């Protein structure tokens, strides 16, 4: 599935550990292609207890692009294809198309604070309420980002914290928090631990989730390859899904 969050996308070029808060340099572009496969046979109910669920599967292929308009302003966009099935419904088609601008309000060598404003046109899939492509449903997002990096004798460590508010068409509005902790022991290796949490405003039942992802990235010059595993740890009215995340990154 395409994540319900604009995840903490990373920039590996230049050998520095960077997270979503850091702007791209003027004229620099990065492309991230990902394939994700999630499955579940259990669900967290309204009380947070685990219940059995018929087999559910979600798959997605997506492309994320970010480009440095200036040294502080970054344009980012995402699009992809998605499909899934469970005992009640199946879908296949275009996922949400997202676009927005990220501006670095504070930019220091080791600390960055930024704001992001963007919009997404709904496609098919669970995160778009099964809306058909072309219906024109528009989600709006505002996000605050804070990044910090530290150099140690064993390597570079960075953290990235993001708080977001989404105003959604056809679905309940959402509040999200994403956190990333990354460690780069050498120039070409990066290990990341990420947490994605969120809560929907739906009534009378409010869904919430906490997901964790662990991944390793190997750099090959301008190219990088990512392999990871994501799993839902807790929540309410949310599937207990898990699965692999594979990615290829290219900087220009």
């Amino acid at each position: 599935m395409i994540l319900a969050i604009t995840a903490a996308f990373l920039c590996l070029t230049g050998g520095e550990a960077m997270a979503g808060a850091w702007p791209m340099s003027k004229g620099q572009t990065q492309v991230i292609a990902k394939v994700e496969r999630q499955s579940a046979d259990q669900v967290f109910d309204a009380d947070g207890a685990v219940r059995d669920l018929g087999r559910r599967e979600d798959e997605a292929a997506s492309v994320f692009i970010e480009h440095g308009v200036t040294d502080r302003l970054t344009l980012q966009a995402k699009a992809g294809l998605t499909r899934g099935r469970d005992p009640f419904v199946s879908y296949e088609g275009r996922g949400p198309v997202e676009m927005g601008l990220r501006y670095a309000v504070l930019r220091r060598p080791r600390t960055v604070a930024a704001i992001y404003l963007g919009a997404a046109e709904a496609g098919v899939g669970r995160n778009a309420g099964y809306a058909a492509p072309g219906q024109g449903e528009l989600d709006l997002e505002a996000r605050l980002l804070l990044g910090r990096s530290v150099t140690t004798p064993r390597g570079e460590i960075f953290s990235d914290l993001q708080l977001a508010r989404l105003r959604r068409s056809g679905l309940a509005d959402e509040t999200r928090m994403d956190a990333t902790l990354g460690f780069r022991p050498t120039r070409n290796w990066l290990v990341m631990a990420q947490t994605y949490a969120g809560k929907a405003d739906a009534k009378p039942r409010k869904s919430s989730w906490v997901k964790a992802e662990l991944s390793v990235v190997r750099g090959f010059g301008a190219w990088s390859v990512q392999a990871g595993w994501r799993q839902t740890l807790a929540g309410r009215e949310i599937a207990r899904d898990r699965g692999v995340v594979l990615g290829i990154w290219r900087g220009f």
Side-chain angles (χ1 to χ4, degrees):
M1 67 177 182
I2 292 181
L3 286 176
I5 51 180
T6 306
F9 296 108
L10 308 186
C11 174
L12 290 179
T13 56
E16 298 179 357
M18 297 184 181
W22 275 265
M24 299 290 290
S25 299
K26 183 179 180 180
Q28 185 179 22
T29 301
Q30 178 170 243
V31 178
I32 302 176
K34 283 191 176 182
V35 175
E36 306 169 48
R37 187 178 189 279
Q38 306 289 299
S39 63
D41 50 24
Q42 292 181 317
V43 64
F44 292 101
D45 65 16
D47 298 319
V50 177
R51 306 293 185 188
D52 289 335
L53 171 72
R55 184 69 174 179
R56 165 175 162 167
E57 297 180 353
D58 296 276
E59 299 174 338
S62 62
V63 176
F64 170 81
I65 301 173
E66 58 179 355
H67 174 76
V69 180
T70 70
D71 288 336
R72 286 181 178 264
L73 185 65
T74 300
L75 172 68
Q76 63 181 62
K78 184 179 180 182
L81 300 174
T82 182
R83 67 180 180 183
R85 54 192 173 276
D86 60 33
F88 308 102
V89 70
S90 63
Y91 64 90
E92 183 173 359
R94 175 184 63 78
V97 176
E98 306 171 13
M99 181 172 290
L101 291 170
R102 189 173 73 243
Y103 181 76
V105 179
L106 173 67
R107 185 182 183 188
R108 295 179 178 174
R110 294 296 178 181
T111 304
V112 174
I115 57 174
Y116 169 83
L117 297 176
E121 183 182 7
V124 300
R126 304 187 193 281
N127 293 329
Y130 303 104
Q135 286 189 351
E137 293 184 344
L138 195 65
D139 299 337
L140 303 177
E141 177 179 355
R143 184 173 292 257
L144 301 177
L145 310 91
L146 178 63
R148 173 71 177 168
S149 65
V150 178
T151 300
T152 72
R154 295 185 178 275
E156 191 166 12
I157 299 172
F158 75 86
S159 62
D160 179 67
L161 178 64
Q162 303 186 21
L163 301 175
R165 180 65 179 172
L166 283 80
R167 186 175 182 85
R168 313 198 67 180
S169 299
L171 289 175
D173 295 345
E174 295 177 1
T175 301
R176 299 173 181 173
M177 181 181 72
D178 312 334
T180 299
L181 180 64
F183 173 60
R184 185 191 299 279
T186 67
R187 177 183 178 86
N188 292 322
W189 286 96
L190 176 65
V191 180
M192 295 181 294
Q194 296 172 277
T195 301
Y196 312 124
K199 182 178 181 180
D201 297 345
K203 294 180 180 181
R205 296 182 176 181
K206 297 184 178 182
S207 62
S208 61
W209 60 90
V210 177
K211 300 189 177 193
E213 181 177 323
L214 181 64
S215 60
V216 177
V217 181
R218 175 68 163 93
F220 300 92
W223 295 86
S224 297
V225 178
Q226 176 186 8
W229 179 266
R230 184 188 309 129
Q231 183 166 336
T232 301
L233 303 180
R236 297 176 185 272
E237 299 291 338
I238 196 81
R240 191 184 185 187
D241 53 10
R242 70 278 185 192
V244 297
V245 179
L246 303 175
I248 299 178
W249 306 351
R250 177 68 164 92
F252 300 91

